[in-house]
Amino acid sequence: MKLKALLLGFALLLSANASAQFVSGLGYYHVHQSDLDLDVGALAGSVGYQFDLNDAVSIVPELRGGIGLQEDTALGVDVKVDNLIAAAVRVQWAVSDPVYLFTVASYGEYEFKFDERSLGSVNLSEDDSGFGGGLGFNVSETFSMEAGYEDIGGLDVFSVGARFRF
């Protein structure tokens, strides 16, 4: 229910200001769970709109979606990210001409697939919120590269990716 409310709010925000700058991104998410020493990966994309509050600060509401790429084994069970969908809000601060910092808050649904040879497979879906931040570098006016970290429900999510502005 919370995810539906976030998606509705995002749609209303987009319709309220059509002059915002469209942004998209593509990145790799490395998900680490320390208790099980579990490391899985996902390819995630995002779409959103960048609202510039002034020359240095921007707000970017966005939607994310992704699929699993890398699996790992813990306690004899193969684990991978099956899919993810989330809504997020980023606040970006221009530090210098090419460098910016960002903080992000998100809420989404994350589905994991657990596969054990003798018992079969099961999918587990979890709704959870996240908070994190990172560093970005504007390569050009339309392209940037970023690295970030987000704590999503106790999972450490490290990301690297590219963002495109249209």
Side-chain angles (χ1 to χ4, degrees):
M1 183 64 178
K2 291 179 187 178
L3 184 57
K4 289 179 185 177
L6 282 172
L7 295 176
L8 178 61
F10 183 73
L12 290 173
L13 185 60
L14 294 181
S15 65
N17 188 350
S19 66
Q21 186 174 24
F22 179 73
V23 293
S24 66
L26 184 64
Y28 178 76
Y29 287 20
H30 178 88
V31 181
H32 177 75
Q33 203 286 334
S34 57
D35 293 340
L36 298 173
D37 194 26
L38 185 68
D39 293 291
V40 295
L43 178 66
S46 65
V47 294
Y49 278 88
Q50 180 172 322
F51 298 92
D52 294 330
L53 299 180
N54 57 41
D55 289 342
V57 180
S58 301
I59 294 178
V60 184
E62 65 183 16
L63 295 176
R64 301 174 180 168
I67 58 171
L69 288 181
Q70 172 192 352
E71 64 181 52
D72 197 2
T73 302
L75 305 173
V77 178
D78 294 333
V79 181
K80 73 179 251 183
V81 175
D82 197 36
N83 62 69
L84 65 96
I85 184 167
V89 176
R90 297 165 48 109
V91 178
Q92 298 179 173
W93 295 273
V95 176
S96 67
D97 187 21
V99 178
Y100 61 92
L101 298 173
F102 65 89
T103 187
V104 62
S106 67
Y107 184 81
E109 181 175 276
Y110 304 88
E111 188 169 328
F112 293 88
K113 182 176 183 177
F114 299 88
D115 192 14
E116 203 278 328
R117 286 166 186 47
S118 63
L119 298 175
S121 66
V122 65
N123 284 18
L124 175 65
S125 180
E126 182 71 30
D127 292 354
D128 228 322
S129 59
F131 186 77
L135 175 71
F137 183 81
N138 291 314
V139 177
S140 70
E141 286 189 24
T142 59
F143 175 71
S144 61
M145 298 177 66
E146 314 185 319
Y149 167 80
E150 199 169 344
D151 179 344
I152 300 175
L155 297 174
D156 296 316
V157 181
F158 301 92
S159 62
V160 293
R163 295 189 59 91
F164 309 92
R165 291 175 292 282
F166 301 94

